Amino acid sequence: MPLGNFRNNYLALKVNFARLNQRINTLAEISPIDGGGNCRLALTDEDKYGRDLLVSWMRELDLEVSVDTVGNIIGVWNVGNGAPVMSGSHIDTVRTGGRFDGCYGVLAALEAIQTCQEAKIAPPRPLAVGIFTDEEGSRFAPDMLGSLVYVGGMAVEQALDVVAIDGARLGDELARIGYAGPAPCPGLLPHAFVELHIEQGPMLEANDIRIGAVTSVQGISWQEVTVLGQSNHAGTTPMSLRHDPAYVAAEITVFLRNLAREFGGDQVCTVGKIDLHPNLTNVVPAKATLTLDVRNTDETLLKLAETKIAEFLRQIATSEGVKISTRELSRFEPVIFDDRVIDCVESIAKQQGNTVQRMPSGAGHDAQMLARVCPSGMIFVPSVKGISHNPAEFTHDADLEAGANILLHTMLALTTLESQDQ
Ligand code: GLV
Ligand code: MN
Ligand code: MN
């Protein structure tokens, strides 16, 4: 069991929450947007400034910092022996992001390490913090790209060639901001991985529970749909003669909404981006490009949703006389976390006097990639009103502090997790 004697000597150990909170606020000063959030799209100048800040903090703690070929930053506190227990997340944001998504997990991992250093604890194996490139996938698809490459799920060359929504090539942007590192990817294999994150949904708050012991992450299917029609005059073209991509995009959006309603359960569907060309008041558009984000905890249902969407796209292409093509942006099956890590999070959360509930994650996370190569899990804290990917994203200090203390003790506990291959 992970809760070995080692950690029992330090049960009262707590993070310095004032310092953690200050770092959260300092990082949020980079690329602020109205409403208290951030715009730090992956591999932009803003991302670079955030990375520079984090690297400087890692160096202050004497961590061994490496940057790999897709820009993942790993800071290792080299104590003990063997593979590190790693924690971490991401510091890139969506265009209208909050200050906690990803950043909280990275900074809490750093704080956990600093707390151990100051308490002169000598864990039996190294502790590490990871900052993974382009978790959001907002600028470069797929999401969780850095951690996917880190675990060998995508070739480095393929990742470097990914083209952003603004036309930039990932490899060029990495080099431009000085984060095309020399460290090999796939990278250092952790002994175990645990990620602390805000829930980004409403369940914990609704149930009046402080901590989520995350059991799984739902499957994600992203595709880009391009609709080509007949551009024409808005005033002179009779409705019966139109081949209108804007109308088709709207029908697809409504279809997804109805599909999610019909499936019920965990099914969610989102059209988050629609671009029209030429995007003018008095022109029936020539083209619509839209993205579909479809998720379910059940892979069979997710596949069924994809099949139904494909059928609908064929039907509407015929009935509206437009051409529709699709491109996969991201596709990940649901992920189940390691029972031992889930148990560990749950028991430590209870031990520290918190209410805790086991729950799946609706959002994608780097931990789901690390789960491919080592025992992994996650800790959630409540998001006020369940709001995230929005500058209004907020979590109360007491919840942030509780989560960070559970992370600290989970990292320590996982240092004594027995390897399955031993
Ligand atoms: C990542 O933030 C996601 O879209 O789940
Ligand atoms: Mn996140
Ligand atoms: Mn996010």
Side-chain angles (χ1 to χ4, degrees):
M1 271 304 288
L3 298 174
N5 288 337
F6 159 72
R7 195 181 65 84
N8 292 341
N9 299 328
Y10 305 104
L11 288 180
L13 189 68
K14 285 195 162 77
V15 299
N16 179 339
F17 179 66
R19 181 170 60 199
L20 169 58
N21 207 19
Q22 193 175 13
R23 285 197 178 123
I24 291 172
N25 293 333
T26 305
L27 178 55
E29 282 166 19
I30 296 174
S31 62
I33 55 174
D34 284 351
N38 289 95
C39 177
R40 208 160 42 237
L41 290 168
L43 310 186
T44 54
D45 289 350
E46 293 75 23
D47 189 15
K48 173 198 161 43
Y49 303 141
R51 286 162 173 264
D52 290 350
L53 181 64
L54 263 295
V55 168
S56 73
W57 285 336
M58 285 182 179
R59 292 205 200 285
E60 277 171 26
L61 302 190
D62 281 332
L63 303 192
E64 194 175 297
V65 180
S66 62
V67 179
D68 69 28
T69 45
V70 293
N72 297 316
I73 303 169
I74 309 292
V76 182
W77 179 33
N78 261 323
V79 287
N81 296 301
V85 167
M86 189 182 287
S87 181
S89 193
H90 61 99
I91 64 160
D92 67 313
T93 72
V94 297
R95 201 189 300 284
T96 49
R99 57 175 56 197
F100 300 104
D101 179 357
C103 304
Y104 168 51
V106 168
L107 293 170
L110 194 73
E111 177 55 41
I113 292 175
Q114 187 165 4
T115 300
C116 293
Q117 289 178 338
E118 287 175 351
K120 304 217 181 314
I121 293 179
R125 54 175 69 248
L127 300 182
V129 49
I131 303 170
F132 296 100
T133 295
D134 184 43
E135 189 272 351
E136 294 292 3
S138 291
R139 187 171 179 222
F140 299 95
D143 46 350
M144 285 88 64
L145 180 143
S147 47
L148 178 65
V149 181
Y150 189 84
V151 302
M154 184 191 229
V156 173
E157 299 69 30
Q158 189 187 347
L160 297 180
D161 278 338
V162 171
V163 175
I165 51 172
D166 50 31
R169 183 179 163 271
L170 188 141
D172 296 340
E173 286 295 89
L174 262 184
R176 187 184 67 77
I177 67 164
Y179 279 88
C185 206
L188 178 69
L189 182 66
H191 179 67
F193 185 87
V194 58
E195 178 173 356
L196 172 63
H197 208 284
I198 54 167
E199 181 201 341
Q200 307 183 272
M203 300 315 295
L204 289 174
E205 187 180 65
N207 296 341
D208 198 18
I209 298 279
R210 175 162 272 165
I211 297 297
V214 184
T215 51
S216 58
V217 180
Q218 65 182 346
I220 300 176
S221 167
W222 284 5
Q223 54 182 316
E224 181 185 76
V225 178
T226 302
V227 185
L228 295 176
Q230 172 69 62
S231 190
N232 213 332
H233 195 290
T236 61
T237 314
M239 298 311 285
S240 60
L241 296 183
R242 294 188 182 207
H243 306 285
D244 181 351
Y247 169 70
V248 172
E251 281 285 357
I252 295 169
T253 308
V254 171
F255 178 81
L256 258 70
R257 178 75 180 213
N258 288 337
L259 181 137
R261 199 175 288 134
E262 181 196 315
F263 274 39
D266 292 325
Q267 183 65 57
V268 287
C269 296
T270 307
V271 174
K273 184 170 181 283
I274 302 181
D275 295 316
L276 298 177
H277 180 80
N279 206 24
L280 295 169
T281 307
N282 56 352
V283 182
V284 177
K287 176 171 152 181
T289 311
L290 60 156
T291 57
L292 316 187
D293 176 322
V294 180
R295 309 191 195 196
N296 201 311
T297 47
D298 182 323
E299 175 65 13
T300 310
L301 289 174
L302 186 55
K303 281 194 176 126
L304 184 61
E306 290 173 318
T307 304
K308 285 183 175 281
I309 290 166
E311 275 167 15
F312 180 74
L313 295 182
R314 274 193 296 277
Q315 273 168 26
I316 196 158
T318 307
S319 61
E320 292 301 318
V322 295
K323 278 208 172 82
I324 297 185
S325 56
T326 59
R327 181 167 74 97
E328 183 181 288
L329 297 176
S330 191
R331 182 62 168 91
F332 300 117
E333 290 186 9
V335 171
I336 308 284
F337 286 130
D338 190 288
D339 277 335
R340 295 165 302 163
V341 181
I342 303 167
D343 288 347
C344 186
V345 168
E346 187 179 48
S347 59
I348 288 173
K350 281 185 185 158
Q351 215 172 60
Q352 296 187 352
N354 300 290
T355 46
V356 52
Q357 120 181 14
R358 291 179 171 235
M359 63 189 297
S361 170
H365 296 289
D366 295 308
Q368 78 187 83
M369 297 305 162
L370 273 295
R372 296 185 185 191
V373 296
C374 66
S376 299
M378 293 190 73
I379 306 161
F380 275 174
V381 293
S383 292
V384 171
K385 298 197 176 102
I387 290 175
S388 186
H389 285 185
N390 181 326
E393 176 182 283
F394 185 71
T395 295
H396 293 292
D397 285 357
D399 297 335
L400 293 171
E401 183 169 7
N405 281 316
I406 295 163
L407 177 71
L408 163 68
H409 284 269
T410 302
M411 288 175 76
L412 288 177
L414 291 175
T415 62
T416 54
L417 181 74
E418 279 175 29
S419 300
Q420 278 180 320
D421 52 356
Q422 271 171 9

